[in-house]
Short mmCIF file of all heavy atoms in Angstrom, two decimals:
data_model
loop_
_atom_site.label_atom_id
_atom_site.label_comp_id
_atom_site.label_asym_id
_atom_site.label_seq_id
_atom_site.Cartn_x
_atom_site.Cartn_y
_atom_site.Cartn_z
N GLY A 5 102.08 111.55 110.19
CA GLY A 5 102.14 111.45 111.60
C GLY A 5 101.38 112.55 112.15
O GLY A 5 100.61 112.45 113.00
N ALA A 39 126.45 134.08 136.56
CA ALA A 39 125.40 134.87 137.21
C ALA A 39 125.61 134.83 138.69
O ALA A 39 125.91 133.85 139.26
CB ALA A 39 124.02 134.26 136.93
N LYS A 73 116.74 138.33 131.75
CA LYS A 73 117.62 138.22 130.54
C LYS A 73 117.02 137.16 129.69
O LYS A 73 116.74 136.02 130.19
CB LYS A 73 119.01 137.84 130.90
CG LYS A 73 120.02 137.77 129.78
CD LYS A 73 121.42 137.40 130.12
CE LYS A 73 121.96 138.50 131.06
NZ LYS A 73 123.38 138.09 131.41
N THR A 80 115.86 125.10 114.21
CA THR A 80 115.99 124.86 112.74
C THR A 80 114.91 124.03 112.14
O THR A 80 114.81 124.00 110.91
CB THR A 80 117.33 124.27 112.38
OG1 THR A 80 117.45 122.97 113.09
CG2 THR A 80 118.45 125.14 112.96
N GLN A 86 118.86 116.88 115.12
CA GLN A 86 119.62 118.09 114.82
C GLN A 86 119.15 119.25 115.74
O GLN A 86 119.98 119.95 116.31
CB GLN A 86 119.40 118.50 113.38
CG GLN A 86 120.13 119.83 113.03
CD GLN A 86 120.20 120.06 111.50
OE1 GLN A 86 120.24 119.18 110.75
NE2 GLN A 86 120.07 121.35 111.18
N LEU A 91 120.21 122.98 120.26
CA LEU A 91 119.78 123.65 121.46
C LEU A 91 120.63 123.34 122.66
O LEU A 91 120.99 124.20 123.53
CB LEU A 91 118.28 123.37 121.75
CG LEU A 91 117.71 124.04 123.04
CD1 LEU A 91 117.80 125.64 122.94
CD2 LEU A 91 116.28 123.56 123.23
N GLY A 106 109.33 125.80 125.90
CA GLY A 106 109.09 125.32 124.55
C GLY A 106 107.61 125.47 124.11
O GLY A 106 106.73 125.11 124.91
N MET A 134 105.06 116.71 124.47
CA MET A 134 106.03 116.23 125.51
C MET A 134 106.20 114.69 125.46
O MET A 134 105.77 113.97 126.35
CB MET A 134 105.52 116.61 126.91
CG MET A 134 105.40 118.09 127.21
SD MET A 134 104.54 118.39 128.80
CE MET A 134 105.62 117.44 129.94
N PHE A 148 95.08 110.14 120.79
CA PHE A 148 93.93 111.18 120.86
C PHE A 148 93.39 111.49 119.47
O PHE A 148 94.08 111.20 118.46
CB PHE A 148 94.40 112.44 121.59
CG PHE A 148 94.87 112.20 122.97
CD1 PHE A 148 96.12 111.80 123.28
CD2 PHE A 148 93.87 112.35 124.07
CE1 PHE A 148 96.56 111.55 124.60
CE2 PHE A 148 94.30 112.09 125.40
CZ PHE A 148 95.56 111.70 125.57
N PRO A 152 92.52 119.45 114.12
CA PRO A 152 92.22 119.94 112.76
C PRO A 152 93.37 120.38 111.97
O PRO A 152 93.41 120.22 110.71
CB PRO A 152 91.35 121.17 113.13
CG PRO A 152 90.71 120.83 114.46
CD PRO A 152 91.75 120.02 115.20
N TYR A 174 104.32 122.51 105.43
CA TYR A 174 103.77 123.87 105.69
C TYR A 174 102.30 123.68 105.97
O TYR A 174 101.73 122.62 105.90
CB TYR A 174 103.85 124.71 104.40
CG TYR A 174 105.19 125.14 103.86
CD1 TYR A 174 105.92 124.21 103.07
CD2 TYR A 174 105.69 126.37 104.21
CE1 TYR A 174 107.19 124.66 102.60
CE2 TYR A 174 106.88 126.77 103.67
CZ TYR A 174 107.61 125.89 102.91
OH TYR A 174 108.92 126.26 102.41
N THR A 199 104.97 134.15 106.21
CA THR A 199 106.30 134.12 106.77
C THR A 199 106.60 132.76 107.47
O THR A 199 107.64 132.63 108.03
CB THR A 199 106.50 135.23 107.74
OG1 THR A 199 105.47 135.16 108.77
CG2 THR A 199 106.37 136.55 107.08
N ARG A 201 107.72 129.11 108.62
CA ARG A 201 108.97 128.31 108.30
C ARG A 201 108.52 126.87 108.34
O ARG A 201 107.87 126.45 109.29
CB ARG A 201 110.02 128.61 109.34
CG ARG A 201 110.69 129.94 109.18
CD ARG A 201 111.86 130.02 110.15
NE ARG A 201 112.75 128.82 110.13
CZ ARG A 201 113.41 128.37 111.05
NH1 ARG A 201 113.31 128.88 112.38
NH2 ARG A 201 114.26 127.31 110.91
N ARG A 244 101.08 113.15 133.36
CA ARG A 244 102.11 112.16 133.22
C ARG A 244 103.40 112.73 133.81
O ARG A 244 104.24 112.00 134.40
CB ARG A 244 102.29 111.70 131.87
CG ARG A 244 103.32 110.63 131.70
CD ARG A 244 103.35 110.02 130.31
NE ARG A 244 103.82 110.82 129.28
CZ ARG A 244 104.08 110.46 128.00
NH1 ARG A 244 103.97 109.16 127.71
NH2 ARG A 244 104.48 111.34 127.16
N GLU A 252 95.11 126.53 132.38
CA GLU A 252 94.31 126.34 131.20
C GLU A 252 93.66 127.76 130.85
O GLU A 252 93.18 128.41 131.71
CB GLU A 252 93.19 125.36 131.29
CG GLU A 252 93.69 123.99 131.54
CD GLU A 252 92.58 122.94 131.19
OE1 GLU A 252 91.52 123.31 130.70
OE2 GLU A 252 92.85 121.72 131.38
N ARG A 276 110.38 132.02 139.70
CA ARG A 276 110.40 132.31 141.17
C ARG A 276 110.42 131.07 141.95
O ARG A 276 111.10 130.95 142.97
CB ARG A 276 109.10 133.10 141.44
CG ARG A 276 109.10 134.58 140.90
CD ARG A 276 107.86 135.31 141.24
NE ARG A 276 107.99 136.66 140.75
CZ ARG A 276 106.99 137.46 140.60
NH1 ARG A 276 105.70 137.10 140.82
NH2 ARG A 276 107.22 138.73 140.20
#
Side-chain angles (χ1 to χ4, degrees):
K73 185 180 293 182
T80 61
Q86 179 168 325
L91 179 60
M134 296 172 59
F148 296 86
Y174 291 83
T199 56
R201 287 184 54 209
R244 181 171 70 168
E252 295 202 4
R276 290 177 176 166

